[in-house]
Amino acid sequence: MSKILGGSAVPGTMARDGGEPPAPTAGAGSRRTAGLSRALPLLGLAGLVAVYTLTIGDRFMTVGNLTNLVQQASVVAIVGFGLTFVVMAGSIDLSVGSVTALAGMVAAMAAADGGGAAGIACGLLVGAGCGLVNGLICSLLRVPSFIVTLGMLSVARGLTIVVSGTRSAPAEGALAWMGTEPGIYFVLAGALAVTFALMNGTTFGRYTRSIGGEERVSALSGVPVRGVKVGVFVISGLLAGLGGVVLSGQLGAATAQAATGFELSAIAAVVLGGTPLTGGIGNVWNTAIGALIIVVLNNGLVILGVAPEIQQIIQGAILVLAVFVALDRSKIGVIK
């Protein structure tokens, strides 16, 4: 007989009538965390906008500035959508910034020779390929994702320099359209719609939450843990590739140093969106809100004339606070 303790299946859980085994569900601690995760990001963004509207509304609440904010947040959000799957599964991907740069460079160079469609396809393939390598090493060789993706961060950045020869590559045609309005809005909306449907309307999304919630129990329940882990890294790489294509079009060119440190912004967007680093909970819509929080915060601080070093202190403090609020401590035996 199978049992359910705290909302999770215990070893020996079997599917009824020979059907697909149910994925374990989150416990009470996870449900409380999920409730906070859904509400706080939107409240935080609304509060931030309200403060800036009252203090610098004449410069902040303009059509030009608001449009610029959405465009700046778009690339962070697109990359963050893919990263949300990885974090929700209980892993981390530190390579998304370098993969974004590599994919953008390959896309721009391929577009110059074969046209915009070929460039976009090459950029997406490069991103997905990097994600596949990350996923295979993590799942099959059982190397921690932190180490694997940290290595890929260096490898992808080095490959970008080698491929480009330190020269920039102009992004024109379809690439430029994807990085500027109105194209960037269509890309953002499409990425959000697809990832939202995948996360909330498919077995893959349910399995991803299950693995992040309790990996060992998920495996015993029949969840293909290794396959799902590879899948989340491929999705992360694919979205990083799409982000690279959009970023190159946004900047008008792909450079070897593009998206340097971008992985920190993407991780911050995911965490500020309420996805805890302990996994099991995730929401791409809130990741988009997290990306807006980062961009709005930075924009307002610049308008207020806050020194760059103080901006970094404020951003770091807010990120730590977000982790503190979202972390599900019931899943951690010892905090290190």
Side-chain angles (χ1 to χ4, degrees):
M1 297 292 292
S2 63
K3 295 182 180 180
I4 302 294
L5 295 177
S8 297
V10 298
T13 299
M14 300 296 292
R16 292 185 178 180
D17 303 323
E20 183 183 84
T25 57
S30 295
R31 286 194 294 270
R32 286 192 296 270
T33 303
L36 286 172
S37 299
R38 285 191 293 268
L40 287 180
L42 187 57
L43 292 175
L45 178 61
L48 194 59
V49 170
V51 170
Y52 285 157
T53 300
L54 292 174
T55 55
I56 50 174
D58 57 331
R59 289 172 289 170
F60 178 77
M61 293 298 293
T62 65
V63 174
N65 189 54
L66 294 178
T67 300
N68 183 51
L69 288 175
V70 175
Q71 293 186 17
Q72 287 183 31
S74 294
V75 180
V76 179
I78 289 169
V79 177
F81 295 156
L83 187 58
T84 302
F85 282 85
V86 175
V87 176
M88 192 170 71
S91 299
I92 194 68
D93 189 350
L94 300 177
S95 67
V96 290
S98 296
V99 172
T100 295
L102 177 60
M105 179 60 69
V106 171
M109 296 176 69
D113 296 330
I120 294 169
C122 288
L124 295 178
L125 285 173
V126 166
C130 291
L132 179 61
V133 172
N134 285 337
L136 289 174
I137 295 176
C138 288
S139 62
L140 298 183
L141 300 183
R142 301 180 64 82
V143 180
S145 59
F146 179 90
I147 300 300
V148 174
T149 58
L150 185 62
M152 180 59 76
L153 180 151
S154 296
V155 170
R157 184 65 65 178
L159 285 175
T160 307
I161 296 172
V162 170
V163 168
S164 66
T166 69
R167 296 186 299 272
S168 62
E172 302 172 342
L175 270 66
W177 180 85
M178 291 181 68
T180 55
E181 58 178 349
I184 191 170
Y185 303 136
F186 288 107
V187 177
L188 175 63
L192 176 58
V194 171
T195 53
F196 182 86
L198 181 61
M199 181 174 289
N200 297 283
T202 67
T203 301
F204 178 84
R206 189 162 57 91
Y207 280 171
T208 302
R209 283 192 175 87
S210 168
I211 293 171
E214 183 55 74
E215 182 174 329
R216 188 178 69 87
V217 172
S218 297
L220 292 171
S221 300
V223 174
V225 173
R226 291 185 177 181
V228 173
K229 278 193 170 184
V230 172
V232 298
F233 279 102
V234 171
I235 292 171
S236 181
L238 182 66
L239 270 295
L242 179 60
V245 172
V246 173
L247 182 62
S248 64
Q250 192 175 61
L251 299 177
T255 66
Q257 301 305 320
T260 299
F262 195 77
E263 57 278 347
L264 298 180
S265 296
I267 293 172
V270 173
V271 173
L272 288 171
T275 301
L277 296 177
T278 42
I281 300 170
N283 187 323
V284 292
W285 173 252
N286 275 9
T287 296
I289 296 176
L292 279 172
I293 291 175
I294 295 171
V295 173
V296 169
L297 175 66
N298 292 343
N299 179 261
L301 292 176
V302 170
I303 294 176
L304 288 170
V306 177
E309 58 272 19
I310 303 301
Q311 293 181 34
Q312 292 183 349
I313 294 173
I314 294 173
Q315 293 166 18
I318 290 176
L319 179 58
V320 172
L321 178 61
V323 172
F324 172 79
V325 172
L327 195 65
D328 184 3
R329 290 163 183 80
S330 66
K331 294 171 57 178
I332 303 177
V334 178
I335 304 293
K336 295 184 178 182

